[in-house]
Amino acid sequence: MRLLVRQQRLAKVDTLYFHADALSRLKRDVGALKEGGTQPRVDVAMFKERYGVTRKYAIPLLEYLDRNA
């Protein structure tokens, strides 16, 4: 896994690993939600429902998106 992180194929988010392409798509999708004006803020409940993830994944992903937006 360290090799894939060095090659930037995986990204470590908190204690979790995600494919870099999936994170890029997520970043674009959430950015489009915010820019579209329908969701100026993305909260945990909406994120969990929209992407079908649990709080365990939602919180680190939202923190990642907040840092890298």
Side-chain angles (χ1 to χ4, degrees), residues 12-14 27 59-69:
K12 187 172 182 185
V13 176
D14 195 25
K27 189 175 179 180
I59 298 296
L61 285 169
L62 286 168
E63 288 175 351
Y64 168 83
L65 292 171
D66 190 40
R67 284 190 309 268
N68 296 293

Side-chain angles (χ1 to χ4, degrees), residues 13-14 16 18 23 26 30 42-66:
V13 176
D14 195 25
L16 306 168
F18 296 94
L23 286 177
L26 180 64
V30 170
V42 177
D43 64 12
V44 176
M46 187 279 299
F47 188 87
K48 285 173 45 180
E49 183 178 322
R50 180 174 179 90
Y51 297 104
V53 296
T54 63
R55 188 172 184 84
K56 174 184 175 179
Y57 296 97
I59 298 296
L61 285 169
L62 286 168
E63 288 175 351
Y64 168 83
L65 292 171
D66 190 40

Side-chain angles (χ1 to χ4, degrees), residues 16-33:
L16 306 168
Y17 291 89
F18 296 94
H19 195 279
D21 292 342
L23 286 177
S24 293
R25 285 191 305 270
L26 180 64
K27 189 175 179 180
R28 282 192 306 270
D29 190 40
V30 170
L33 279 174

